[in-house]
């Protein structure tokens, strides 16, 4: 591959380039690409060596090659012909006569520096001193030559990636256009139904094309955002970063203009946010007032504005009217301090810790790696898509900077805060939810326990919310501190039971070995994470609304599994429905997880009883358990893996049929990663309508102040073993009937009338 550097104007500046993750190009290949055109003679203004030539200064450096003209340094600019502007009566002419001096390296000097660059792109001080003496150059000149050479290599990488992204974008655009034309010919633009009398299978094929079209459009938009983020004439575009492939240095170090802020300014913002979080976490009244009715703490916003006057100016900057959600919760978690801190520093561990809350998460940029094994002082720019376990509530997409800091030997603080220019420059359309200083203070309480004080402070653009979820969202419960702490406690407890070696027999029946217990718990965790991923309103899915014969609104989405061994291969259909039931969450949860009553709602059991083969506890609450159940019929026997989870906020019952032979091997301790599993299940939330008790009593069963429940039911079925097959209308009708019958059975068993 040849790279023509002559297309670069001689005034290309360092700040036009962005440090992206390294492409799979060897340095040798890059040298071959650039060698013919980059016998470069360079000298730039002094910068930060660690930044790769950019630094944190606003000064710019010009890059040149033999083809594009010599490079000049602003700091060494000298001018000739400096006469009095009035001498000839024309000051402008004298200005035009000023010429800049620059230094051109000899071919021998370039050859020697190129040889060292191939061996060591980042020479140390000793190597630079030796080379400068050998070539008769100043150490400063050698230093800047290497900085600019590294910049050129990065520019070549970025141009290559830019061309790949453009090609992919054009390909997707063509496919998108072809699908749109086909759909417009056969479907109503408003409702998507067929406008001809063709058979139902063709109609469903067109609907599937619409779904594929939407996904392609989303991919095109991502690529367009990646390529179009910079103004015309810039030399690079960022690639989609992943945690493993990111460059070890921050792109802010290399190009301070990418997010519109200097690194020093971001560090200043996160330190101010840390101070605010500490005050918010430790202050009592009048900043926080405890509700008499619900017992939850409520932020006194007038007092907050007095305490943090800088916030008032930040909120009056022309944004659309937003609602404020503020909450605080304190809890004790069963995990040691270093492990808990690591789960916030590592984005993948953070996502796994909160599967019901986080549908997507990524580290966009590492601004500071931090120090020591726990990365004290780490600062990262992150993205997260927050969800509820229903497609009826839109997700919240938020960019924020996370700062992890050790306050003392026993105390850490994790603070998240959105930064205006950062999120606006990345994607202004996503700035519908912002984090004011939020996070947690973690205190080590010894014996593997930690006290966590969590503050969640969000600023969200007002939007339409389904009436069924309006109370729980507007009260701040859905995305508030209580939800985060309850989920954290549940996940940490699960981890403790997973690692335990002294589990009582009553908590681990039916499995003979510790290895078998761990394999089953690991498979159940993967099943529940897959369930959470499948039923939310994330942009992963394209939901189509259909109505059942009994009146429920059902959302349907399909996907194709081509090569994931963790799921059955073929076309998978997911159907989800959310309803309100006049039953408390605890009553509903106990009913759905009870194997003795499974035949009351599960129409797949054909009325036959379910029996437990194994039951493994994964928490102190008896409702937190993994069970293997068997259901026998006249024809055959079926095994079900069921994972039930409950905490102070929500409960889930997730299950899936499993291959008996494969499950038997898992019970002996074999690896479960290749067991194909397709989960269905239930998510149960309180409806948020808490009230004062009507009587004062010592009887626990009469103290309940719970309202009803928000039940989300989801079924996933494999409609065809071939990934290339099309979704049929019969499959949609089958899963529609499945949901309707199951809901009817649940209402009948609990004697619930439609709310």
């Amino acid at each position: 591959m040849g790279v023509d550097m002559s297309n670069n104007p001689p005034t290309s500046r360092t700040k036009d380039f962005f440090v992206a993750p390294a492409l799979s190009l060897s340095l040798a290949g890059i040298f071959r690409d650039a060698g013919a055109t980059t016998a470069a003679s360079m000298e730039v203004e002094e910068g930060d060596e660690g930044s790769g030539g950019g630094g944190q200064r606003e000064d710019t450096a010009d890059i040149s090659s033999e083809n594009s003209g010599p490079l000049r340094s602003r700091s060494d600019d000298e001018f000739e012909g400096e006469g009095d502007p009035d001498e000839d009566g024309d000051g402008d002419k004298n200005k035009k006569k000023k010429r800049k001096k620059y230094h051109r390296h000899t071919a021998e000097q370039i050859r020697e520096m190129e040889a060292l660059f191939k061996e060591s792109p980042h020479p140390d001080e000793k190597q630079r001193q030796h080379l400068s003496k050998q070539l008769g150059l100043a150490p400063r000149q050698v230093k800047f030559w290497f900085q600019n050479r590294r910049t050129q290599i990065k520019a070549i990488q970025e141009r290559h990636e830019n061309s790949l992204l453009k090609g992919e974008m054009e390909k997707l655009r063509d496919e998108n256009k072809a699908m749109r034309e086909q759909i417009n010919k056969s479907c109503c633009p408003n409702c998507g139904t067929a406008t001809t009398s063709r058979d139902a299978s063709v109609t469903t094929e067109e609907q599937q094309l619409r779904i594929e079209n939407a996904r392609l459009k989303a991919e095109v938009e991502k690529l367009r955002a990646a390529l179009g983020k910079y103004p015309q004439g810039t030399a690079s575009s960022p690639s989609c970063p992943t945690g493993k492939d990111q460059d070890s240095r921050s792109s802010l170090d290399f190009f301070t203009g990418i997010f519109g802020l200097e690194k020093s300014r971001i560090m200043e913002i996160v330190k101010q946010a840390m101070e605010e979080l500490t005050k918010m976490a430790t202050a009592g009244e009048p900043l926080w007032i405890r509700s008499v009715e619900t017992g939850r703490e409520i932020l006194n916003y007038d007092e907050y504005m007095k305490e943090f006057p800088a916030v008032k100016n930040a909120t009056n900057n022309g944004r659309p009217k937003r609602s404020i959600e503020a909450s605080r919760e304190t809890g004790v978690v069963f995990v040691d301090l270093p492990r808990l801190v690591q789960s916030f520093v590592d984005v993948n561990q953070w996502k796994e810790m909160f599967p019901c809350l986080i549908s997507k998460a990524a580290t966009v940029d590492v601004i500071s790696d931090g120090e020591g094994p726990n990365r004290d002082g780490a600062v990262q720019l992150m993205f997260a898509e927050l969800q509820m376990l229903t497609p009826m509530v839109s997700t919240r997409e938020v960019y924020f900077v996370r700062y992890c800091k050790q306050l003392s030997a026993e105390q850490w603080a994790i603070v998240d805060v959105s930064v205006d220019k950062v999120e606006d420059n990345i994607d202004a359309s996503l700035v519908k939810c912002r984090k004011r200083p939020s996070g947690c203070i973690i205190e080590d309480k010894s014996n593997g326990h930690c006290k966590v004080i969590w503050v969640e402070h969000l600023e969200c653009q007002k939007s339409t919310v389904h009436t069924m979820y309006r109370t729980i969202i507007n009260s701040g419960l859905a995305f508030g501190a209580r939800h985060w702490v309850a989920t954290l406690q549940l996940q940490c407890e699960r981890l403790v039971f997973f690692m335990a070696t002294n589990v009582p027999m009553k908590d681990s029946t039916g499995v003979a070995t510790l290895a078998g217990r761990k394999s089953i718990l690991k498979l159940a965790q993967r099943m529940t994470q897959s369930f959470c991923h499948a039923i939310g309103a994330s942009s992963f899915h394209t939901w189509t609304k259909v109505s059942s014969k009994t009146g429920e609104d059902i959302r349907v989405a399909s996907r194709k599994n081509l090569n994931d061994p963790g799921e059955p291969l073929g076309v998978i259909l997911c159907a989800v429905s959310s309803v309100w039931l006049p039953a408390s969450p605890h009553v509903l949860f106990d009913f759905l997880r009870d194997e003795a009553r499974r035949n009351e709602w599960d129409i797949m059991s054909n009325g036959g009883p379910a029996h437990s083969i194994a039951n493994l506890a994964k928490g102190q609450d008896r409702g937190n358990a993994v069970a293997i159940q068997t259901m026998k019929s006249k024809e055959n026997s079926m095994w079900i893996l069921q994972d039930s989870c409950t905490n102070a906020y929500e409960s889930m019952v997730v299950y899936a049929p499993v291959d008996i032979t494969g499950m038997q091997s898992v019970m002996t301790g074999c690896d479960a990663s290749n067991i194909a599993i397709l989960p269905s299940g239930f998510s149960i939330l309180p409806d948020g309508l808490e009230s004062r008790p009507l009587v004062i009593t010592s009887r626990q069963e009469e103290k309940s102040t719970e309202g009803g429940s928000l039940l989300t039911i989801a079924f996933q079925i494999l409609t065809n073993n071939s990934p290339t097959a099309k979704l049929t209308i019969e499959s949609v009708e089958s899963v529609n009937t499945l949901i309707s019958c199951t809901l009817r059975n649940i209402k009948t068993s609990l004697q619930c009338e439609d709310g």
Side-chain angles (χ1 to χ4, degrees):
M1 179 185 72
V3 179
D4 185 4
M5 295 291 290
S6 63
N7 292 331
N8 281 345
T11 57
S12 297
R13 302 191 186 275
T14 311
K15 73 175 184 178
D16 289 336
F17 300 105
F18 169 71
V19 178
L23 296 174
S24 55
L25 300 174
S26 66
L27 279 177
I30 294 174
F31 294 143
R32 286 195 302 272
D33 294 339
T37 59
T38 56
S41 57
M42 313 175 189
E43 182 177 6
V44 300
E45 200 171 0
E46 184 171 358
D48 182 2
E49 171 64 15
S51 69
Q56 302 172 16
R57 300 177 50 175
E58 286 295 322
D59 302 329
T60 57
D62 293 342
I63 303 173
S64 68
S65 67
E66 288 293 325
N67 291 340
S68 62
L71 178 136
R72 296 170 297 213
S73 170
R74 286 187 176 181
S75 58
D76 294 332
D77 287 347
E78 297 179 9
F79 299 95
E80 294 179 350
E82 292 189 5
D84 187 349
D86 297 327
E87 190 171 291
D88 296 326
D90 190 356
D92 291 338
K93 290 184 179 180
N94 283 327
K95 290 181 182 178
K96 292 179 181 178
K97 292 179 180 179
K98 296 178 182 179
R99 301 281 182 156
K100 295 182 180 179
K101 290 182 179 180
Y102 56 86
H103 176 80
R104 180 181 290 277
H105 297 307
T106 66
E108 178 63 26
Q109 290 172 335
I110 294 173
R111 195 161 40 247
E112 291 295 329
M113 288 189 285
E114 284 280 9
L116 179 59
F117 185 85
K118 292 179 181 180
E119 298 177 4
S120 175
H122 292 268
D124 55 27
E125 184 66 28
K126 184 177 180 181
Q127 289 174 306
R128 291 199 301 268
Q129 291 284 356
H130 176 75
L131 191 61
S132 65
K133 291 179 181 178
Q134 178 183 343
L135 302 178
L137 297 173
R140 181 169 168 273
Q141 292 176 300
V142 175
K143 174 182 176 180
F144 296 150
W145 187 92
F146 274 87
Q147 284 182 353
N148 287 335
R149 193 71 179 94
R150 289 193 296 269
T151 300
Q152 279 189 320
I153 296 300
K154 290 182 185 296
I156 294 168
Q157 292 175 339
E158 291 302 330
R159 288 191 191 89
H160 177 70
E161 187 174 50
N162 198 9
S163 64
L164 292 178
L165 284 173
K166 285 182 178 178
E168 185 67 18
M169 188 184 75
E170 291 298 329
K171 179 181 176 182
L172 289 173
R173 185 185 287 116
D174 292 341
E175 293 177 5
N176 190 311
K177 182 179 179 181
M179 287 186 172
R180 185 183 291 113
E181 290 175 353
Q182 183 173 353
I183 292 167
N184 288 339
K185 293 177 182 178
S186 57
C187 293
C188 169
N190 296 323
C191 63
T193 57
T195 56
T196 67
S197 57
R198 289 177 298 169
D199 57 57
S201 62
V202 177
T203 301
T204 308
E205 180 179 345
E206 292 165 354
Q207 292 175 345
Q208 182 66 21
L209 283 173
R210 293 177 68 241
I211 294 172
E212 293 294 326
N213 183 26
R215 290 179 180 170
L216 286 170
K217 286 172 68 177
E219 291 299 323
V220 170
E221 290 304 318
K222 289 178 183 177
L223 291 169
R224 184 179 291 116
L227 294 172
K229 186 182 300 179
Y230 301 95
Q232 292 185 353
T234 53
S236 65
S237 64
S239 63
C240 299
T242 61
K244 294 182 180 179
D245 298 331
Q246 284 187 22
D247 192 281
S248 60
R249 292 183 306 279
S250 164
S251 59
L252 289 175
D253 288 335
F254 180 69
F255 176 32
T256 59
I258 183 169
F259 298 132
L261 287 176
E262 295 280 353
K263 176 180 175 182
S264 59
R265 176 57 183 151
I266 288 187
M267 296 303 297
E268 180 184 338
I269 290 172
V270 296
K271 288 177 181 177
Q272 291 174 353
M274 181 69 73
E275 293 177 5
E276 180 174 327
L277 173 68
T278 305
K279 290 181 182 178
M280 292 278 283
T282 56
E285 292 189 4
L287 187 61
W288 293 94
I289 301 173
R290 189 168 295 276
S291 168
V292 177
E293 292 188 355
T294 64
R296 297 195 304 270
E297 290 184 301
I298 301 174
L299 179 66
N300 183 343
Y301 199 69
D302 291 337
E303 196 65 30
Y304 171 79
M305 298 299 281
K306 292 178 184 176
E307 184 72 26
F308 306 103
V311 177
K312 187 172 183 180
N313 296 328
T315 56
N316 296 328
N317 57 1
R319 289 200 195 96
K321 191 171 183 180
R322 295 171 179 258
S323 60
I324 304 297
E325 297 177 12
S327 56
R328 182 172 71 174
E329 187 76 11
T330 301
V332 175
V333 296
F334 294 89
V335 69
D336 58 278
L337 182 61
R339 185 188 291 268
L340 184 55
V341 170
Q342 182 62 27
S343 67
F344 287 96
V345 175
D346 187 310
V347 68
N348 293 320
Q349 292 186 33
W350 181 58
K351 186 166 57 174
E352 289 179 5
M353 188 69 80
F354 302 96
C356 57
L357 271 162
I358 303 172
S359 53
K360 294 180 187 177
T363 299
V364 180
D365 197 18
V366 178
I367 299 168
S368 174
D369 279 322
E371 300 175 351
N374 292 328
R375 297 179 62 183
D376 179 23
V379 182
Q380 305 174 73
L381 175 62
M382 302 179 72
F383 166 78
E385 183 184 59
L386 308 180
Q387 68 170 3
M388 290 185 69
L389 295 183
T390 174
M392 299 178 72
V393 178
S394 300
T395 57
R396 294 181 172 185
E397 297 176 310
V398 56
Y399 284 95
F400 58 92
V401 177
R402 170 165 292 174
Y403 180 37
C404 303
K405 182 65 179 174
Q406 185 172 10
L407 304 180
S408 65
E410 294 82 23
Q411 202 173 58
W412 278 72
I414 315 293
V415 63
D416 299 338
V417 61
S418 294
V419 182
D420 290 339
K421 289 188 177 180
V422 169
E423 55 194 9
D424 290 342
N425 285 335
I426 291 176
D427 189 345
S429 67
L430 295 182
V431 191
K432 296 178 182 177
C433 182
R434 304 181 69 256
K435 275 183 177 280
R436 292 186 180 181
S438 304
C440 57
I441 306 294
I442 306 171
E443 185 178 350
D444 190 1
K445 289 295 184 180
S446 72
N447 296 325
H449 291 63
C450 288
K451 177 184 176 182
V452 176
I453 305 175
W454 196 295
V455 174
E456 197 66 22
H457 197 179
L458 299 173
E459 180 183 318
C460 300
Q461 186 173 319
K462 291 189 175 182
S463 60
T464 303
V465 179
H466 193 281
T467 53
M468 194 162 52
Y469 287 90
R470 195 168 294 163
T471 300
I472 195 171
I473 290 177
N474 292 345
S475 65
L477 284 173
F479 299 98
R482 181 185 176 190
H483 192 178
W484 288 96
V485 171
T487 304
L488 180 64
Q489 289 173 319
L490 179 66
Q491 293 296 318
C492 290
E493 199 172 79
R494 177 196 58 77
L495 184 62
V496 169
F497 274 71
F498 177 80
M499 300 299 295
T501 57
N502 56 345
V503 181
M505 287 302 297
K506 66 182 180 65
D507 292 333
S508 186
T509 59
V511 181
T513 65
L514 189 63
R517 173 185 167 82
K518 286 189 173 183
S519 292
I520 294 172
L521 291 179
K522 196 170 183 180
L523 177 60
Q525 181 189 5
R526 172 163 70 85
M527 176 179 70
T528 301
Q529 288 177 341
S530 174
F531 177 78
C532 294
H533 186 270
I535 70 172
S538 171
S539 55
F540 284 124
H541 316 297
T542 301
W543 295 100
T544 302
K545 181 179 177 181
V546 297
S547 294
S548 69
K549 297 176 182 178
T550 53
E552 293 90 359
D553 286 337
I554 299 176
R555 265 72 172 178
V556 177
S558 67
R559 65 183 186 275
K560 296 179 180 179
N561 181 25
L562 302 176
N563 51 21
D564 181 5
E567 284 187 342
L569 298 181
V571 179
I572 298 171
L573 177 64
C574 179
V576 183
S577 182
S578 298
V579 297
W580 178 86
L581 294 178
S584 74
H586 291 99
V587 170
L588 189 54
F589 173 68
D590 287 338
F591 167 72
L592 292 172
R593 74 180 186 86
D594 187 354
E595 65 184 65
R597 304 189 68 181
R598 186 181 189 98
N599 59 352
E600 295 182 33
W601 60 264
D602 190 353
I603 64 175
M604 304 301 290
S605 66
N606 295 319
H611 301 285
S612 180
I613 300 174
N615 199 300
L616 310 178
K618 61 186 184 75
Q620 290 182 314
D621 191 296
R622 61 188 176 87
N624 290 316
V626 175
I628 302 175
Q629 300 172 358
T630 179
M631 293 189 297
K632 294 182 179 179
S633 63
K634 294 180 181 179
E635 293 80 15
N636 53 18
S637 177
M638 179 170 61
W639 281 20
I640 299 290
L641 177 65
Q642 177 177 293
D643 185 14
S644 55
C645 319
T646 185
N647 59 38
Y649 174 77
E650 67 184 336
S651 303
M652 280 190 290
V653 178
V654 183
Y655 66 92
V658 290
D659 176 68
I660 296 178
T661 304
M663 200 65 211
Q664 287 173 336
S665 68
V666 172
M667 293 173 70
T668 64
C670 294
D671 181 29
S673 59
N674 289 326
I675 298 292
I677 200 162
L678 193 59
S680 300
F682 308 91
S683 168
I684 306 165
L685 295 175
D687 60 8
L689 299 175
E690 299 171 318
S691 61
R692 293 181 180 179
L694 299 178
V695 295
I696 299 175
T697 177
S698 60
R699 296 177 61 185
Q700 188 65 33
E701 62 270 20
E702 294 182 7
K703 284 186 175 181
S704 174
T705 61
E706 295 173 313
S709 300
L710 299 175
L711 173 67
T712 296
I713 176 173
F715 286 106
Q716 295 191 96
I717 61 173
L718 182 69
T719 64
N720 198 299
N721 291 317
S722 172
T724 59
K726 304 300 181 181
L727 187 65
T728 63
I729 196 68
E730 288 80 8
S731 300
V732 176
E733 290 177 350
S734 296
V735 77
N736 189 325
T737 302
L738 187 60
I739 284 185
S740 298
C741 292
T742 304
L743 282 174
R744 185 174 62 248
N745 291 343
I746 292 172
K747 292 177 181 179
T748 301
S749 296
L750 296 179
Q751 299 178 352
C752 295
E753 297 180 359
D754 290 339

